[in-house]
Amino acid sequence: MESRSWSAALLLVAAGCTASVGSIGAVLGRDNESQALYVRDVPQGLAAERAGLIPGDEIMMIDGVYVRDLSSAAVRDRLRGAVGSAVELTVVRGGDVRRVRVVRTELRAHEGIKPREEQILP
């Protein structure tokens, strides 16, 4: 089994945000070595679930920009936008490359979902 070192997961469902700010509504994790970005969790009823994203999907591109070239802040900025606006993701699932259009939903207070920081070491 390949070991990976993970950075803190990004929770894209936030408390205290204005109603006009939207996001894809997924918990993401980043591999510290490769900078690959993975879907860690897909909370029910949010944009990521509606678009068909599942845990384990690797997000390769956001609107045509390679994720590995972006800082965590830049990833967050690209995934957030006006509620109802769309973002195009290029996702790798198994051996398949998919283009997924995600219509952003409102950021809302997390309901039992807490960001977690996890270090997986060999």
Side-chain angles (χ1 to χ4, degrees), residues 50-88:
R50 293 178 189 159
L53 293 176
I54 61 172
D57 284 347
E58 180 182 359
I59 299 174
M60 295 292 294
M61 299 175 89
I62 302 170
D63 286 332
V65 177
Y66 283 101
V67 169
R68 293 178 190 207
D69 295 338
L70 299 173
S71 68
S72 293
V75 167
R76 183 187 63 243
D77 291 345
R78 287 186 174 275
L79 294 177
R80 287 186 177 172
V83 172
S85 64
V87 62
E88 297 287 333

Side-chain angles (χ1 to χ4, degrees), residues 10-31:
L10 302 172
L11 181 62
L12 299 176
V13 179
C17 293
T18 63
S20 62
V21 176
S23 184
I24 68 165
V27 179
L28 306 176
R30 191 166 219 174
D31 183 297

Side-chain angles (χ1 to χ4, degrees), residues 39-121:
V39 175
R40 303 269 314 268
D41 192 18
V42 181
Q44 282 189 314
L46 298 180
E49 180 192 43
R50 293 178 189 159
L53 293 176
I54 61 172
D57 284 347
E58 180 182 359
I59 299 174
M60 295 292 294
M61 299 175 89
I62 302 170
D63 286 332
V65 177
Y66 283 101
V67 169
R68 293 178 190 207
D69 295 338
L70 299 173
S71 68
S72 293
V75 167
R76 183 187 63 243
D77 291 345
R78 287 186 174 275
L79 294 177
R80 287 186 177 172
V83 172
S85 64
V87 62
E88 297 287 333
L89 304 178
T90 303
V91 174
V92 176
R93 181 181 299 163
D96 296 331
V97 177
R98 303 164 184 245
R99 289 185 156 226
V100 178
R101 182 176 186 268
V102 183
V103 177
R104 294 176 180 100
T105 53
E106 183 178 333
L107 285 171
R108 63 182 186 197
H110 59 83
E111 298 165 2
I113 304 166
K114 297 185 180 191
R116 60 182 180 236
E117 185 171 322
E118 183 177 337
Q119 292 269 336
I120 301 173
L121 304 172

